[in-house]
């Protein structure tokens, strides 16, 4: 728990004594129509996350459904791609910023204590999600960035690691060589380019040319969990947008954007274009919509409608934001879980899957519901 100054403790006592912060009674609920009174479902362990969460979900599912802690579970899930050199969007092997540095963003949130921790622009530490948890549990802060985050991680025993793999370096070099025809870098002659160099991006085989062109990889891993004791936790971790401007921090470590959970309403997360998740506050918005009675799918689709309108307005000064039919030209995937353990994964455009695990069917992939099929 973060240490609260005496003033805050006294203020909180006054708040509770006034009955404002007390549990919502039927009379109080009658004064606030639309606000839900339910407790999160117990004995319905459930997990939801991005498609790349499936491997980790399979690892932890048996112990989690037997009563495991939700924060332990989500961190274990997201650590799998953090250590996987083949995942180009998270931790080790993640694609670097435009200057060749791999910088990581991560956050976790704990429903029962409504507490969070995060790191932004963290270099040379593999498990950014564990450092985010340390920020939550061992400081009175919510977010550490850059050198401070690195020193904090080292102080807590995290080893220094080289995260730029040979594969990521080759992709980044190829991207730089093709960035401009007016600089001094030249792409290798066609005959010297390795033909058929294929990369697995979320299960799809793409060529090097596609990666540095129109299939610039996005990724990130999000996972939220509802435990057998009715407790939520969430985690999101990423190497962020490939070739980003150095210093850029995306949505993943921003509470309310890349993740959010609230014991009174549900949990949510986002992957894809971070700026849009930040501008729509997408995870917070989904949880708030579920608090007002929306299902996880309705909440996710409503946020995507807002994102679409916001992109249309942004297109006035950034024309590439929407296509010819006014649909966003970028990708955004949203994941939501309600108090009853119901889940949904939605996306701006058709195609794509998310990972989910529940008592009925165990860990598996499901199709995302697309706003613009
Ligand atoms: N949301 C991440 C970011 O903007 C990227 C992604 O999910 O692909 O940093």
């Amino acid at each position: 728990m973060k240490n609260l100054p005496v003033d805050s403790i006294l203020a909180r006592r006054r708040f509770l004594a006034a009955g404002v912060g007390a549990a919502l009674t039927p009379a109080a609920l009658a004064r606030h129509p639309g606000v839900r009174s339910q407790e999160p479902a117990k004995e319905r362990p459930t997990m939801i996350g991005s498609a790349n969460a499936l491997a980790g979900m399979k690892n932890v599912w048996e112990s989690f459904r037997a009563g495991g802690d939700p924060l332990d579970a989500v961190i274990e899930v997201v650590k799998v791609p953090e250590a996987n050199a083949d995942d180009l969007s998270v931790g080790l092997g993640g694609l670097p910023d435009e200057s060749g540095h791999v910088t990581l963003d991560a956050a976790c949130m704990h429903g029962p204590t409504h507490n969070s921790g995060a790191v932004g622009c963290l270099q040379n530490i593999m498990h950014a999600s564990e450092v985010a948890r340390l920020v939550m549990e061992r400081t009175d802060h919510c977010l550490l960035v850059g050198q401070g985050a690195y020193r904090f991680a080292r102080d807590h025993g995290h080893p220094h690691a080289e995260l730029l793999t040979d594969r990521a370096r080759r992709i980044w070099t190829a991207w730089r060589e093709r960035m401009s025809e007016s600089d001094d870098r030249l792409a290798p002659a066609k005959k010297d380019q390795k033909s058929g160099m294929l990369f697995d991006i979320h299960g799809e085989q793409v060529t090097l040319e596609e990666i540095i062109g129109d299939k610039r990889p996005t990724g990130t891993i999000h996972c939220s969990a509802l435990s057998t004791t009715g407790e939520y936790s969430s985690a999101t971790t990423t190497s962020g947008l490939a070739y980003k401007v150095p210093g850029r921090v995306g949505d993943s470590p921003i509470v309310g954007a890349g993740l959010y959970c609230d014991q009174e309403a549900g949990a949510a997360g986002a992957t894809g274009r971070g700026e849009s998740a930040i501008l729509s506050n997408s995870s917070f918005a989904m949880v708030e919509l579920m608090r007002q009675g929306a299902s996880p799918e309705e909440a996710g689709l409503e946020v995507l409608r807002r994102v679409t309108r916001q992109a249309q307005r942004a297109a006035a000064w950034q024309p590439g934001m929407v296509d010819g039919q006014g649909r966003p030209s970028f990708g955004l995937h949203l994941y939501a879980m309600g108090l009853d353990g119901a889940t949904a994964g939605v996306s701006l455009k058709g195609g794509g899957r998310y990972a989910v695990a529940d008592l009925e069917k165990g860990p598996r992939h499901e199709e995302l519901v697309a706003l613009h099929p």
Side-chain angles (χ1 to χ4, degrees):
M1 284 291 291
K2 296 184 197 298
N3 295 322
L4 290 174
V6 174
D7 281 347
S8 314
I9 294 169
L10 292 177
R12 182 171 155 72
R13 283 196 189 139
R14 282 196 297 273
F15 176 76
L16 290 172
V20 186
L24 286 170
T25 60
L29 280 167
R31 292 195 300 275
H32 299 281
V35 176
R36 294 183 138 197
S37 65
Q38 294 100 315
E39 294 282 308
K42 295 196 169 91
E43 308 303 332
R44 288 209 56 183
T46 310
M47 304 185 99
I48 183 169
S50 45
N52 52 354
L54 186 61
M57 277 185 193
K58 286 181 175 168
N59 292 348
V60 303
W61 178 244
E62 285 309 319
S63 61
F64 179 66
R65 61 174 281 181
D69 178 78
L71 186 60
D72 289 346
V74 296
I75 299 281
E76 282 312 307
V77 168
V78 303
K79 277 174 65 183
V80 173
E82 280 181 340
N84 179 0
D86 290 334
D87 191 317
L88 293 167
S89 67
V90 185
L92 177 68
L95 288 172
D97 66 16
E98 70 177 19
S99 64
H101 296 106
V102 180
T103 65
L104 308 180
D105 297 338
C108 64
M109 190 155 186
H110 184 230
T113 52
H114 202 75
N115 204 356
S116 72
V119 288
C121 227
L122 173 67
Q123 292 187 41
N124 296 115
I125 300 288
M126 189 184 301
H127 289 300
S129 61
E130 287 189 322
V131 186
R133 182 176 185 164
L134 283 167
V135 172
M136 179 173 91
E137 294 179 342
R138 305 291 289 275
T139 78
D140 189 29
H141 306 315
C142 288
L143 173 62
L144 294 183
V145 302
Q147 271 300 309
Y150 171 78
R151 279 198 303 274
F152 174 78
R154 297 287 289 129
D155 289 348
H156 280 277
H158 278 262
H160 180 96
E162 178 50 77
L163 301 178
L164 185 67
T165 58
D166 194 49
R167 185 168 173 254
R169 183 189 51 71
R170 274 166 37 222
I171 296 171
W172 168 68
T173 302
W175 171 78
R176 277 198 308 172
E177 287 172 345
R178 290 157 179 78
M179 267 305 285
S180 164
E181 297 199 341
S182 59
D183 68 13
D184 294 332
R185 292 182 192 278
L186 304 176
K190 276 273 182 284
K191 66 178 175 50
D192 295 333
Q193 291 179 17
K194 278 192 187 161
S195 60
M197 190 150 67
L198 286 178
F199 296 89
D200 186 309
I201 306 283
H202 312 313
E204 191 190 349
Q205 298 287 298
V206 299
T207 66
L208 177 62
E209 295 301 318
E210 286 172 320
I211 285 190
I212 58 182
D214 60 345
K215 292 216 168 148
R216 180 174 169 178
T218 56
T220 304
I221 175 166
H222 167 76
C223 184
S224 284
L226 171 63
S227 72
T228 53
T229 53
E231 295 180 350
Y232 288 105
S233 286
S234 303
T236 304
T237 175
T238 188
S239 53
L241 193 63
Y243 329 127
K244 60 196 169 189
V245 175
R248 181 259 192 192
V249 171
D251 60 315
S252 306
I254 308 292
V255 166
L259 80 175
Y260 193 73
C261 70
D262 186 321
Q263 272 309 115
E264 297 175 357
T271 62
R273 186 172 187 273
E275 283 69 15
S276 296
I278 293 173
L279 290 166
S280 62
N281 230 308
S282 50
S283 295
F284 179 74
M286 280 186 278
V287 171
E288 283 309 297
L289 287 162
M290 290 192 288
R291 191 194 303 274
Q292 304 301 325
S295 70
E297 183 176 319
E298 287 163 352
L301 290 174
E302 168 56 19
V303 171
L304 291 179
R305 277 184 215 105
R306 294 179 190 177
V307 167
T308 300
R309 294 195 299 274
Q310 290 160 2
Q312 288 165 348
R313 288 199 289 275
W317 57 276
Q318 236 179 323
M321 292 290 281
V322 294
D323 66 16
Q325 282 133 29
R327 298 174 307 192
S329 51
F330 51 85
L332 186 63
H333 295 178
L334 303 178
Y335 317 94
M337 175 159 59
L339 287 179
D340 53 359
T343 54
V346 300
S347 69
L348 274 173
K349 295 182 225 169
R353 298 177 300 173
Y354 67 105
V356 64
D358 54 30
L359 284 179
E360 288 74 39
K361 296 191 195 159
R364 63 194 183 276
H365 275 142
E366 295 278 353
E367 293 297 313
L368 292 160
V369 173
L371 179 64
H372 305 292

